[in-house]
Amino acid sequence: MSATEILEVLRHTGTIVLVSIGMLFYLAGSIGLLRFPDRLSRLHSLTKADNVGLGFIVAGLLLQVGSLAVAAKLILIWLLALLAAATSGSLLARSGPPQTAATPEGDQR
Amino acid sequence: MNEAMTALDVVLALGIVTTAALATTSRDRVVSVMMFLSLGVLLAITWARLAAPDIAMAEAAIAAGVTGALLISAIGALRQPARTERASWISIAGQVAVIAVATTMLAVGLVSANDQHTGPAPAGAGALDALDEAAVDHPITVVLLQFRSYDTLLEIVVLGAVALVAFALPTDDAVTTLGLRSDRGELFGGLVRVLLPVLVLLAGWLLVAGSTRPGGAFQAGALVAGVVLLLYLDGRIDPARSPRISNRWLIWGVLIGPGAFIALAGITATLGDGWLHIAPAWGGWVIIGLEALLALSIGVSLAAAFLAGRAQLPLLDPSPSFGDAEPSGRRRATGAER
């Protein structure tokens, strides 16, 4: 195979691998949302899915775009989602009732 | 590839039906709202699958975003129990019957339409032919604001009417106090400081991009709604300290879009070729200018519907008079927070 064909195969394989890893994070986040016992743990799993999972999916898609502008927009989407997920996760964790005595000491936030 | 796309379509269709059914039949209000949000996301993806990115953007931002915020705000402040009663079997049977009849009529209509027209619909073909004389490049914007601008005018007037009715809801005098906790610490303030310029830039870009690609007034208006809501939620616009300014600001923002549209209609009717007849020569600039004002108006209307709904919910101080007790209550809580 020529060099360009090898690069093509590598590119597509990289996309598949990165997007699959991202989907694994999303799956883990969803399972954590359903199975974790309290609010803070669920938020913990959700924010992992949002930040890292989306990052991997965006990285996988970056290999597929042709223009720099679209790549920049994809990265901007990921950064904005990071901001929103981090802030809303923190706000959600602070709102609502404080944890019961069953939680470990020092776990105030 | 086609099999994968078909599988995706089937999963989307099943997901839409399931979330819609769960949203309407669930007894827990929180579950209903969450299902409605999921439905909005699935609908946005479906519109994207149908190659309609404009509608997908509007669906995601307005239906899933603003309406979702409205619903969450509503159930968050309800003092009634969150669980409703189980619907009677007559009601459920009636709903199922109505849905079955509507689906049958839709299916019959689609099948008969497929038999009659072998190509695109006559109106669509006519519009495609007339695109050469269009003022802008993007066909959706052309149809919305040039060919069918009267329909868009009516939509904007309806949205403005919704916002004005929302203003009439609070029992006391207009939106003087919101009962919103404006002090959320440095975290939210920092987010707002970073997000606001980005959102303003994005709204402007979506507005201008509507001439050549998916975008336009409604999508930019959804971002403007986000900007207005962030300003209020962060306390940067404080109706307690400057009620007249923020009130007037909201109402003028709601009125400027339909007002500009009606003014354009009047000008084209009296001085131009006809009612809302937009010539391609000056139409591009007029459409962009009109879309800018429409985006502002749509954003403020959506945000006003959300804010006016908050104005009558006593979050901090459940006293009957909002005008007097609310500001001191807010400031007291704000002082304690700091």
Side-chain angles (χ1 to χ4, degrees), chain B residues 9 78 121 134 174 195 215 278:
Chain B
D9 292 343
L78 274 183
L195 266 193
I278 298 180

Side-chain angles (χ1 to χ4, degrees), chain A:
Chain A
M1 291 198 292
S2 68
T4 51
E5 285 177 2
I6 296 180
L7 276 181
E8 283 293 305
V9 169
L10 277 181
R11 195 162 65 94
H12 292 312
T13 314
T15 299
I16 294 178
V17 165
L18 286 172
V19 172
S20 305
I21 297 178
M23 289 201 312
L24 274 179
F25 272 102
Y26 268 105
L27 187 66
S30 307
I31 296 180
L33 173 66
L34 293 171
R35 296 291 300 170
F36 273 149
D38 62 332
R39 189 187 61 204
L40 291 184
S41 316
R42 290 185 204 139
L43 277 175
H44 172 84
S45 74
L46 274 183
T47 49
K48 299 304 152 285
D50 245 339
N51 303 347
V52 185
L54 187 62
F56 271 110
I57 290 182
V58 164
L61 290 178
L62 279 179
L63 292 173
Q64 293 290 324
V65 300
S67 75
L68 200 58
V70 180
K73 281 181 220 163
L74 278 177
I75 296 181
L76 180 65
I77 290 176
W78 180 56
L79 288 176
L80 287 177
L82 267 183
L83 270 180
T87 309
S88 59
S90 211
L91 287 176
L92 277 173
R94 287 188 207 179
S95 72
Q99 297 278 49
T100 63
T103 56
E105 206 61 29
D107 191 346
Q108 290 303 317
R109 296 213 177 262

